[in-house]
Amino acid sequence: TMQTVEVVILGKKYRLRSEDPEKLQQYATYLNNTLDEITAKYGLVDAKDTLTLAGMILTEQLFHLTEDSEHLKKEIDKLHSKISSFFKDFDTR
C-alpha cells in the first residue's frame, strides 16, 4: 500500500507517496549526498545549477549501468549457449 513520506532535498520538504518508504528515504539521502558533493566540488551556489549538474552526472551513471547490464546479459547468453551445447554433446555420447 502507498504511504506518504516526507523527504528533504536541498533543505526543502517534499511529501511523496511510495510503497517502500525506507527506499525512498535512501534515494533522498543519496541525492542529497550527491548534491552536497557537487556543491563542494564546484563551489556552486545556485540550486538550479547544482540540480542540473547532478542530473547530468546521475544520467551518465544510469547510462553506464544500462550499458554494463546489456553487456552482462550478452555474456550470460553466450555462457548459456556454451552450456547447452556441452550438454547436447554429452547426451550424444
Side-chain angles (χ1 to χ4, degrees), residues 8-10 25-44 46-47 49-62:
V8 179
I9 299 169
L10 286 179
Q25 288 290 354
Q26 284 180 322
Y27 300 156
T29 299
Y30 181 83
L31 179 57
N32 276 314
N33 290 340
T34 301
L35 295 171
D36 289 344
E37 288 172 18
I38 289 168
T39 299
K41 183 175 182 178
Y42 297 100
L44 298 174
D46 184 66
D49 291 341
T50 303
L51 289 168
T52 300
L53 189 52
M56 289 302 296
I57 290 168
L58 294 172
T59 299
E60 180 183 24
Q61 290 175 357
L62 175 64

Side-chain angles (χ1 to χ4, degrees), residues 57-71:
I57 290 168
L58 294 172
T59 299
E60 180 183 24
Q61 290 175 357
L62 175 64
F63 271 72
H64 282 299
L65 289 171
T66 302
E67 290 166 4
D68 290 348
S69 175
E70 289 300 317
H71 176 73

